[in-house]
Amino acid sequence: MSGHHISSDKTLLGVAGALFILTVLTVGVHYVHIPDPWSIIVAMGIAIFKATLVALFFMNLYWDDRFNLMLFLASIAFFILLVGLTLLDTLFRTDVVPGF
Amino acid sequence: MANHSSSTHSKFLQHHFVDAEQQFDSAKMGMWVFLVTEILFFGGLFAAYIVYRLWYPELFTLASEELNTLWGGVNTVVLIGSSLTVAMAIKSAQLNQKKNIAINLGITLALAAVFMVIKYFEWTHKFHLGIFPGEFYAFEGIDHPKANVFFSLYYLMTGLHGIHVVIGIGLMIWLLLRSMKGHFDSEYYTPVEITGLYWHLVDIIWIFLFPLFYLID
């Protein structure tokens, strides 16, 4: 609950190292060509994990006032709502909109 | 100044705040509210991407071949590195290591520039092939009637992200100049903190753009 948490070099370098390794991993997995639908699931899983690391430790949400974490999670919730409601339409059409 | 309980009197403290602490927390919360709008700003494009990918999955697999995985990967590493140096700049301010603030901001700036240079070569290479967004699309190499749709999304999403990187470069220059004037220390580093938050979000957006465009099986 501190607005002025000071991250140690060890934490920052450790998080950056993990992000580099995960980047290499996601490229490596791409060349393995795992069958559908798993390739996108694995790729997004790694991306979500990386984004979580950045948000928690680089953006300080792990130590910060919980209100800021709530704001961040709310934005994700509304994004899911946006996509979910849109897909309720687009996934159940007989014809894709002509022209585009 | 009767109701001011602050022990610190930073010259950057505005009179309408009780103390530097309240000013810092307000600024940070304000930045988070702005980042929420940013997430939803990009979110609209991500929603469009999801809709079209579900409509034309085979198009995305085909068109993704035109993107260079190596350079996309290099740019991912470059942005993660720049996020690290921003976090280091903030830590340097908190520890009163004034010289290190400028050094870390300088490295961040250089990495952001590298990102944009790579982006420039990626885009111009595509323009050269006739790969333009929407109705300007004139490339014969992808056997799919909707190939232009993929590249419209590609240019819109990497373009909006690129604009954010350019704005970030401007902010980094501003911070670098101020840090050279010695404005930032453990008592006052609010601009470094909130620019850092912005920069990390730009990094997060790229962390998703990279697999969604470059790593489609």
Side-chain angles (χ1 to χ4, degrees):
Chain A
M1 291 294 283
S2 153
H4 291 281
H5 176 269
I6 302 177
S7 300
S8 67
D9 282 354
K10 202 173 122 191
T11 305
L12 295 177
L13 291 169
V15 170
L19 290 168
F20 289 136
I21 291 164
L22 288 164
T23 303
V24 172
L25 181 70
T26 197
V27 173
V29 167
H30 168 61
Y31 285 114
V32 173
H33 292 298
I34 38 179
D36 268 352
W38 292 103
S39 65
I40 179 75
I41 292 169
V42 170
M44 284 300 96
I46 294 172
I48 289 165
F49 186 56
K50 284 165 76 182
T52 306
L53 283 178
V54 173
L56 286 181
F57 301 111
F58 280 173
M59 298 172 97
N60 257 332
L61 284 176
Y62 185 80
W63 299 282
D64 205 358
D65 191 320
R66 286 282 174 251
F67 188 82
N68 293 335
L69 177 65
M70 185 206 74
L71 286 172
F72 182 58
L73 294 177
S75 71
I76 295 166
F78 279 96
F79 170 67
I80 292 167
L81 200 61
L82 169 72
V83 172
L85 289 171
T86 307
L87 291 181
L88 283 178
D89 169 354
T90 61
L91 284 181
F92 300 97
R93 294 182 183 186
T94 45
D95 292 315
V96 171
V97 174
F100 61 91
Chain B
M1 309 296 252
N3 59 352
H4 278 230
S5 60
S6 69
S7 54
T8 59
H9 272 287
S10 165
K11 63 178 168 176
F12 300 107
L13 180 62
Q14 303 286 324
H15 72 91
H16 48 270
F17 290 106
V18 174
D19 55 22
E21 195 63 24
Q22 190 205 18
Q23 179 171 294
F24 176 81
D25 287 339
S26 305
K28 197 159 57 164
M29 188 194 293
M31 193 64 195
W32 271 108
V33 172
F34 171 68
L35 294 186
V36 168
T37 70
E38 287 278 82
I39 289 166
L40 293 168
F41 184 25
F42 277 98
L45 288 170
F46 277 97
Y49 175 98
I50 293 165
V51 166
Y52 279 98
R53 184 155 175 180
L54 288 166
W55 273 345
Y56 309 115
E58 69 293 343
L59 159 67
F60 280 70
T61 312
L62 277 175
S64 174
E65 308 264 318
E66 286 303 316
L67 305 186
N68 189 314
T69 307
L70 172 70
W71 289 117
V74 169
N75 258 350
T76 307
V77 170
V78 164
L79 270 197
I80 289 168
S82 72
S83 259
L84 171 67
T85 52
V86 166
M88 287 285 195
I90 293 166
K91 187 212 63 176
S92 303
Q94 290 168 323
L95 297 173
N96 276 321
Q97 298 163 339
K98 292 198 174 193
K99 203 170 155 191
N100 288 352
I101 306 172
I103 291 170
N104 278 304
L105 289 172
I107 299 170
T108 307
L109 197 52
L111 289 168
V114 167
F115 181 92
M116 288 315 291
V117 167
I118 292 173
K119 196 98 282 187
Y120 168 83
F121 282 111
E122 281 184 302
W123 278 39
T124 48
H125 172 68
K126 282 181 189 57
F127 293 158
H128 186 73
L129 292 173
I131 297 175
F132 293 99
E135 62 176 290
F136 305 104
Y137 186 80
F139 180 59
E140 303 292 335
I142 298 168
D143 187 25
H144 196 287
K146 300 285 181 187
N148 63 336
V149 169
F150 175 89
F151 289 103
S152 295
L153 283 166
Y154 167 80
Y155 282 121
L156 273 169
M157 293 175 85
T158 61
L160 185 62
H161 179 267
I163 289 168
H164 278 79
V165 174
V166 171
I167 292 167
I169 288 173
L171 291 167
M172 294 300 163
I173 291 170
W174 169 65
L175 288 181
L176 187 59
L177 293 172
R178 285 195 66 183
S179 70
M180 284 170 168
K181 287 179 189 161
H183 284 192
F184 306 127
D185 55 29
S186 62
E187 294 297 332
Y188 177 78
Y189 60 93
T190 307
V192 190
E193 173 84 19
I194 61 175
T195 304
L197 287 176
Y198 168 84
W199 192 251
H200 294 312
L201 186 81
V202 172
D203 186 21
I204 286 178
I205 300 286
W206 183 258
I207 282 171
F208 285 99
L209 289 180
F210 174 55
L212 287 176
F213 281 103
Y214 292 78
L215 303 179
I216 302 174
D217 281 327

